[in-house]
Amino acid sequence: MYYSEEEIIAHLDTPVFRIITETADANHLETYVIGGFVRDIFLHRPSKDIDVVTIGSGIALAEAVARRLGKNAHLSVFQNFGTAQVKWEDTEIEFVGARRESYSRGSRKPVVEDGTIEDDQNRRDFTINALALCLNSDRLGELVDPFDGIGDIERLRIVTPLSPDTTFSDDPLRMMRAVRFASQLGFYIDPDTFDAITRNRERIGIISGERISDELNKIILSPRPSVGFELLEACGLLELIFPELVALKGVETKEGIGHKDNFAHTLMVLDRLSRTTDSLWLRWSALLHDIAKPATKRFDYRLGWTFHNHNIVGEKMVPKIFRRLRLPMNEKMRYVQKMVTLHMRPIALVDDDVTDSAVRRLLFDAGDDIDDLMKLCEADITSKNPDKVRRLLENFRLVREKLVEIEEKDRIRNFQPPVSGEEIMAAFNLPPSRPVGDIKEAIKNAILDGIIPNEREAALKFMYSKAAEMGICSTAI
């Protein structure tokens, strides 16, 4: 892999880098751009991950750069960490002084001292992230690559600059980062480095759930997330951070009947879905759609292996998993729950004699997420029999047609019953109470079952009929 000095300098020919160069030169500060931005130049990947290291005060350089960028620059100083961030337009630059670090056994917070560019590169996680380009005008674009990071990019190899045991023991999050880079970039982890992850895996216990889930999210969003999860399982990290997923692994046989490996199936579904969506939470839904199969697995001598209600049990497992991993306990979690709960429903609509009522109820329950649900269900077809796959995909095409037909006719998606609870209370002089809810629920079910159309007049007529059936009198004279 060869890049001329002119090609490298072209990546630094931007207003922000020109100002950093001028400011560093004016203040006699030896300054470099380092890490992901440099790596991505050689990988032909766009990057806004700009880390600047200077031999001196990173905060002072950031303050000077922010002044030169003018009023549109936003400066944030993190005095305790000796770092600063400058945001300007759509660019974010992190500034830090070159440093050497040492760690205590029970913490990933280092003792920091001023250092040289070599010291700073020594503390980097991987050789491909230790690359630095000088930003001073007399050496502009000069590559500093003490660990042959360029060679490792050519070899598609992830390896630590120094001893991997020291690297991972000092900061165990780097083990997750190694797996994440392998998944994102399509690289392999050097065998000695991978063995060190296995030896040091218990150290992940000092890392917060937030930091772990941030790396998991990046793995899930990678082009082939299965790569990352297979590596996490192979090195023993997955058992420590996500035991529910490991529980899916393996095949059990009774009476000569075996079930599929649900871990392998789950990763296949996740990879298939990743070809059609970049949605993080839909991909999480794929990862968790069968999460309750170990808890619901039973062997029936007539039916073979069964996993009855694994979707319902899985729905209940989602909040516990999200809470432990410090994932958001909000509408994103509820969305994943909905996908896990409903992922069995569309296939039941394939039969010719399926009722419109069943289609209406799915539309009502899925709402605006019906298209995402169908993507998940189509990705869930992982048979090795191509004829079966074609048949099932054709069935899902017919389901989509049924959904469109019913939606156009009955406008069910996200519908609210045409009569509100307040109107029911006013019509029968009722306080907020169970009878009000019962009447409102009866109206909703009548519409979903096709007994009445989704129209206000029909709903009002049904309301009075239902109330009379319940012995409730109208206040109308």
Side-chain angles (χ1 to χ4, degrees):
M1 183 181 299
Y2 175 75
Y3 287 83
S4 68
E5 184 177 329
E6 290 77 14
E7 288 174 310
I8 291 172
I9 289 175
H11 286 276
L12 307 178
D13 188 17
T14 68
V16 167
F17 278 122
R18 285 196 291 270
I19 285 177
I20 294 172
T21 293
E22 293 166 7
T23 308
D25 285 351
N27 289 275
H28 308 290
L29 291 170
E30 184 182 340
T31 301
Y32 301 84
V33 58
I34 194 168
F37 181 86
V38 183
R39 176 199 70 222
D40 287 342
I41 287 176
F42 293 95
L43 286 172
H44 303 283
R45 296 174 81 227
S47 178
K48 294 186 178 180
D49 181 19
I50 302 176
D51 292 320
V52 171
V53 62
T54 188
I55 315 304
S57 170
I59 292 175
L61 178 59
E63 290 171 338
V65 167
R67 284 194 297 271
R68 291 177 77 113
L69 285 171
K71 62 182 181 180
N72 291 328
H74 177 73
L75 173 70
S76 301
V77 174
F78 308 99
Q79 202 73 48
N80 290 345
F81 299 97
T83 65
Q85 180 190 76
V86 174
K87 291 183 180 180
W88 184 73
E89 296 183 350
D90 63 345
T91 304
E92 294 182 10
I93 315 109
E94 303 285 341
F95 290 84
V96 66
R99 56 195 184 182
R100 63 167 65 95
E101 296 176 342
S102 58
Y103 290 79
S104 62
R105 178 75 186 164
S107 172
R108 61 182 295 270
K109 292 182 179 178
V111 175
V112 178
E113 303 173 277
D114 290 343
T116 64
I117 184 62
E118 291 79 13
D119 291 325
D120 204 87
Q121 288 174 302
N122 287 342
R123 73 181 183 84
R124 299 283 160 172
D125 51 6
F126 308 111
T127 59
I128 61 173
N129 293 334
L131 301 166
L133 293 174
C134 188
L135 294 178
N136 297 103
S137 57
D138 60 338
R139 295 170 52 209
L140 186 65
E142 179 183 309
L143 177 66
V144 182
D145 180 16
F147 305 110
D148 192 25
I150 291 296
D152 287 326
I153 287 175
E154 291 175 336
R155 289 183 283 271
L156 307 180
R157 182 175 75 152
I158 295 169
V159 62
T160 57
L162 304 178
S163 158
D165 285 295
T166 302
T167 297
F168 297 138
S169 180
D170 283 350
D171 184 354
L173 187 65
R174 290 168 175 165
M175 298 186 289
M176 295 287 297
R177 285 169 58 83
V179 172
R180 186 248 292 183
F181 284 124
S183 195
Q184 280 184 330
L185 303 178
F187 281 28
Y188 76 94
I189 301 175
D190 172 78
D192 290 340
T193 300
F194 189 79
D195 288 345
I197 295 175
T198 303
R199 287 192 297 272
N200 289 275
R201 63 186 182 276
E202 298 287 345
R203 291 280 289 156
I204 201 69
I206 70 170
I207 303 297
S208 70
E210 289 89 348
R211 301 300 295 273
I212 289 172
S213 63
D214 185 53
E215 293 299 325
L216 281 176
N217 286 342
K218 290 173 181 175
I219 291 170
I220 289 170
L221 286 173
S222 61
R224 280 187 59 219
S226 63
V227 171
F229 284 102
E230 286 167 354
L231 287 170
L232 287 173
E233 194 280 326
C235 70
L237 278 173
L238 195 62
E239 177 68 46
L240 299 173
I241 63 177
F242 207 155
E244 299 91 343
L245 207 53
V246 177
L248 292 170
K249 191 173 175 64
V251 175
E252 190 175 351
T253 301
K254 276 190 179 181
E255 302 294 318
I257 302 172
H259 60 77
K260 64 188 172 189
D261 184 318
N262 287 303
F263 180 73
H265 166 74
T266 292
L267 296 187
M268 197 180 301
V269 173
L270 179 57
D271 279 354
R272 285 173 56 85
L273 184 68
S274 297
R275 298 173 201 157
T276 63
T277 180
D278 292 326
S279 165
L280 173 62
W281 304 110
L282 183 51
R283 292 189 183 197
W284 263 105
S285 303
L287 195 64
L288 297 179
H289 79 286
D290 280 346
I291 201 67
K293 279 196 168 179
T296 58
K297 183 170 73 171
R298 302 289 184 273
F299 184 78
D300 182 289
Y301 285 93
R302 290 180 303 105
L303 303 175
W305 292 102
T306 65
F307 305 91
H308 291 315
N309 293 325
H310 73 273
N311 56 324
I312 306 301
V313 177
E315 175 195 359
K316 294 175 182 175
M317 290 175 66
V318 170
K320 296 175 186 176
I321 293 169
F322 268 51
R323 189 173 293 109
R324 191 184 71 247
L325 291 174
R326 300 294 191 271
L327 291 164
M329 303 295 293
N330 55 18
E331 73 281 352
K332 292 167 182 169
M333 184 269 290
R334 290 188 288 275
Y335 166 88
V336 174
Q337 279 189 292
K338 182 200 283 191
M339 293 294 107
V340 171
T341 309
L342 297 179
H343 82 271
M344 306 281 290
R345 291 267 294 276
I347 194 65
L349 303 182
V350 167
D351 295 337
D352 289 335
D353 60 349
V354 70
T355 63
D356 286 0
S357 172
V359 179
R360 285 191 204 95
R361 286 188 177 278
L362 180 60
L363 278 166
F364 177 76
D365 290 339
D368 284 338
D369 300 318
I370 187 66
D371 295 326
D372 285 355
L373 179 63
M374 292 303 296
K375 284 182 182 178
L376 173 59
C377 293
E378 287 161 350
D380 200 13
I381 303 170
T382 60
S383 171
K384 293 178 181 177
N385 182 334
D387 290 333
K388 183 178 179 181
V389 169
R390 278 193 293 272
R391 187 175 71 253
L392 288 172
L393 287 175
E394 173 61 16
N395 287 344
F396 275 120
R397 187 187 67 78
L398 296 174
V399 169
R400 283 183 180 272
E401 288 180 2
K402 287 182 181 180
L403 290 167
V404 170
E405 178 187 336
I406 296 295
E407 171 64 14
E408 288 177 351
K409 185 174 70 172
D410 296 334
R411 309 182 312 283
I412 293 297
R413 190 187 302 202
N414 291 326
F415 97 100
Q416 293 297 321
V419 180
S420 69
E422 289 76 12
E423 288 176 299
I424 295 169
M425 287 188 284
F428 302 104
N429 195 25
L430 291 172
S433 57
R434 181 168 180 174
V436 175
D438 288 345
I439 294 171
K440 189 175 179 184
E441 182 73 8
I443 294 170
K444 181 193 85 173
N445 287 331
I447 293 171
L448 292 177
D449 290 337
I451 296 169
I452 61 172
N454 183 17
E455 295 169 0
R456 180 172 171 77
E457 221 173 288
L460 283 171
K461 185 176 179 181
F462 182 86
M463 175 190 75
Y464 286 113
S465 171
K466 184 65 180 177
E469 182 185 310
M470 294 169 63
I472 298 172
C473 297
S474 168
T475 58
I477 297 173

